[in-house]
Amino acid sequence: MARLSRPGQALLGAALLAAGAYSWWASGTAPFNWSSTLAVAVPVILVGLASLTRPATGESRPQAEARPTSGWLPWLVLALLVVGLEAAGLALGGVSRPVPTLSTVVDQLLRWQVVRFLLFGSWLASATPLWRRPAGEAASR
Amino acid sequence: MIGTAAWTFLALLGVVLELAARRGARLSRLGSLGSKLAGRRIGRLALYLLWAFVGWHLFARYTVPPL
């Protein structure tokens, strides 16, 4: 990972602070309310715009390319297990006690604001591949 | 109950896979897979729609069950 310059570090710090403050505000909003809808809509719109303006590369970062395709298989198996369990939970009505859906399980944790804060921050962070230019592409400009 | 244990197991499995990838195992990191998918427009659109749905479903439309 390339070292950031001082202005870059300051910018990253400010962005993390802003994302943390936003996540804390968002985690304090009530569900099924305009404020919680707004809290999700703002990053969805911003990431959507950033994602649209990022050209397709068809390639990825060099470190990802260096990995063999077999490096994906365990993740593919995990994804299939997740889809299978979710499908079983939905087929049983979504709130079945023996086989709940993922969101039914997560809902149990959302009663605490600190958990909502951590999950919201993680959700924001998980959007990074959608807007960030691959390292090789940025360097070639 | 069994389902909750299964979800916990899958979450831990994901953590173990990511840690193994970071420690040099012949595994792709989750972020690398995301970057790879996002490198193509269709993959990026699919990731974006999934990401937006997860955010809307979990943070705007959640229901905390009674204790």
Side-chain angles (χ1 to χ4, degrees):
Chain A
M1 189 176 191
R3 271 183 75 88
L4 287 173
S5 61
R6 266 189 191 281
Q9 287 177 347
L11 198 64
L12 179 65
L16 288 176
L17 207 63
Y22 187 83
S23 297
W24 184 255
W25 169 73
S27 65
T29 59
F32 296 97
N33 196 324
W34 69 268
S35 56
S36 59
T37 303
L38 182 71
V40 172
V42 168
V44 164
I45 290 168
L46 290 179
V47 168
L49 289 174
S51 177
L52 275 178
T53 57
R54 199 195 112 172
T57 59
E59 298 293 333
S60 187
R61 301 163 71 182
Q63 64 181 38
E65 288 171 26
R67 304 281 183 180
T69 312
S70 61
W72 291 47
L73 287 179
W75 290 109
L76 184 63
V77 170
L78 179 62
L80 290 174
L81 288 173
V82 166
V83 169
L85 194 54
E86 182 73 4
L90 287 172
L92 291 170
V95 289
S96 146
R97 268 186 178 269
V99 189
T101 59
L102 179 57
S103 58
T104 303
V105 174
V106 173
D107 280 351
Q108 305 273 355
L109 302 171
L110 293 178
R111 68 177 75 248
W112 299 288
Q113 186 176 358
V114 67
V115 176
R116 294 199 299 273
F117 165 69
L118 291 173
L119 287 177
F120 196 93
S122 303
W123 176 69
L124 287 182
S126 69
T128 306
L130 292 170
W131 56 263
R132 189 173 66 182
R133 289 173 192 278
E137 185 189 336
S140 66
R141 283 174 184 260
Chain B
M1 190 65 189
I2 292 170
T4 305
W7 282 118
T8 307
F9 170 75
L10 292 180
L12 289 175
L13 184 60
V15 171
V16 167
L17 287 178
E18 180 67 17
L19 287 178
R22 284 172 186 260
R23 284 174 178 265
R26 291 173 64 85
L27 269 175
S28 296
R29 286 169 56 173
L30 195 54
S32 302
L33 290 179
S35 297
K36 189 98 177 169
L37 276 175
R40 297 184 186 276
R41 283 195 195 282
I42 188 74
R44 199 182 319 156
L45 178 66
L47 276 183
Y48 174 71
L49 292 176
L50 178 67
W51 176 79
F53 173 75
V54 167
W56 179 79
H57 190 45
L58 282 189
F59 305 114
R61 294 288 185 272
Y62 66 93
T63 305
V64 174
L67 281 172

